Amino acid sequence: MGKGKMHNKHRNYDDENSWACGNWFEFLLVVALAIILLIGALVLVLFWVLYYRGGFAWNENPTLEFNLHPVLMIAGFITFSGFSMLLYRVGRCCRRIYVKLFHTIFHALAVPCVVVGFIAVLDSHNLANPPIRNFYSLHSWMGFVTMGLFALQFVVGFFSFLILLCCENATAGFRASLVPIHATFGILTFMLAVATCLTGLTEKTIFTLGVSYSYLGEEAIIINALAMTLVAGAIVMAYTLLREGFRYSGHILVSVQSEM
């Protein structure tokens, strides 16, 4: 005669255990390459500005004040934003809430970079002698769209994934539905930021180097290397973020109850 029993089976589905050495090698290689490219872009723009463009200044020297613009925009939109997205791939051993927190922190670090970088280019144009017109170029239009998407992403992400955690159970379904939208627009914003940086580098190169750019001197090589680093970073980041095998489902604990 069968006796009623209650069985509690805890199954731990950990995708890391099913990974072969090749999967781990690919993952570590791609993530390391992404980190190198994100940092490398910032290092190259700093080297270019400090070595070839005379460094930084504020309102007293509009020409040097402009140099803050490319450095801070790459720091904010590329390096900090790139790291914030990459956290969802490298934070495989951390609790989800901690990954979200650091994701928000890196995005928050990008905000003052973008704001000060935007003010710097406005000042450098308005204080120049004669003043330079604002918001006429393709670069500036793309920059407006990028900043708008970035601001929207930050506000929606902060509200949906941090503030709504106060009523976690009631908003779980709504937050889950926003995840793919937030992730998709995050990648699109990053790609648009890379494209905007490339148009800005092209514009600055034409204005400063002119026909000498075609002779491919040292400064032109550095600018091209910076542009290629941004392009490579966009490719590697897209692969890392969109590769289905790199998505971490975490530790799923399932409780199964059966009666026999």
Side-chain angles (χ1 to χ4, degrees):
M1 183 176 179
K3 184 179 180 181
K5 299 180 183 178
M6 188 70 70
H7 298 280
N8 291 322
K9 299 179 181 180
H10 300 285
R11 300 172 185 174
N12 187 12
Y13 295 96
D14 187 356
D15 62 348
E16 294 184 34
N17 292 334
S18 62
W19 270 26
C21 292
N23 299 113
W24 272 111
F25 177 77
E26 179 193 1
F27 174 76
L28 293 175
L29 178 64
V30 172
V31 168
L33 186 57
I35 292 173
I36 290 171
L37 291 170
L38 291 175
I39 296 175
L42 184 57
V43 171
L44 278 173
V45 72
L46 275 170
F47 176 75
W48 171 48
V49 165
L50 293 174
Y51 190 80
Y52 293 101
R53 295 287 104 204
F56 306 107
W58 198 235
N59 301 31
E60 68 277 3
N61 191 331
T63 302
L64 295 184
E65 184 181 6
F66 175 85
N67 293 339
L68 290 167
H69 178 69
V71 172
L72 292 176
M73 289 304 189
I74 287 180
F77 280 127
I78 306 301
T79 305
F80 287 138
S81 293
F83 273 121
S84 72
M85 292 188 293
L86 207 57
L87 279 170
Y88 279 103
R89 295 296 176 267
V90 300
R92 304 177 67 84
C93 301
C94 303
R95 291 184 60 187
R96 201 68 169 174
I97 186 62
Y98 296 141
V99 176
K100 289 179 181 179
L101 180 60
F102 281 104
H103 175 78
T104 305
I105 289 173
F106 272 106
H107 264 303
L109 289 173
V111 171
C113 293
V114 173
V115 171
V116 176
F118 182 64
I119 293 173
V121 71
L122 285 181
D123 277 352
S124 66
H125 284 185
N126 295 333
L127 298 177
N129 189 17
I132 302 172
R133 289 184 61 192
N134 293 304
F135 315 129
Y136 68 90
S137 66
L138 174 63
H139 170 67
S140 61
W141 287 28
M142 291 177 67
F144 265 124
V145 176
T146 305
M147 288 188 292
L149 283 176
F150 178 84
L152 184 63
Q153 279 285 98
F154 185 82
V155 171
V156 171
F158 185 82
F159 175 76
S160 302
F161 302 111
L162 288 181
I163 293 179
L164 290 184
L165 283 177
C166 297
C167 44
E168 184 173 0
N169 294 331
T171 62
F174 175 71
R175 287 183 289 110
S177 66
L178 281 178
V179 168
I181 300 173
H182 184 70
T184 300
F185 274 91
I187 297 172
L188 289 175
T189 303
F190 183 83
M191 296 303 161
L192 183 58
V194 171
T196 304
C197 289
L198 295 177
T199 58
L201 286 173
T202 302
E203 184 179 306
K204 180 64 175 177
T205 302
I206 292 173
F207 286 161
T208 56
L209 298 184
V211 294
S212 65
Y213 179 50
S214 61
Y215 297 105
L216 206 63
E218 288 184 4
E219 184 175 0
I221 292 175
I222 295 297
I223 295 172
N224 286 355
L226 172 58
M228 288 299 97
T229 301
L230 291 170
V231 171
I235 294 171
V236 174
M237 284 291 294
Y239 181 82
T240 305
L241 297 171
L242 296 176
R243 175 85 154 84
E244 191 64 33
F246 290 171
R247 297 176 187 270
Y248 180 51
S249 58
H251 300 276
I252 306 172
L253 194 63
V254 180
S255 180
V256 181
Q257 297 181 340
S258 61
E259 189 172 320
M260 297 180 63

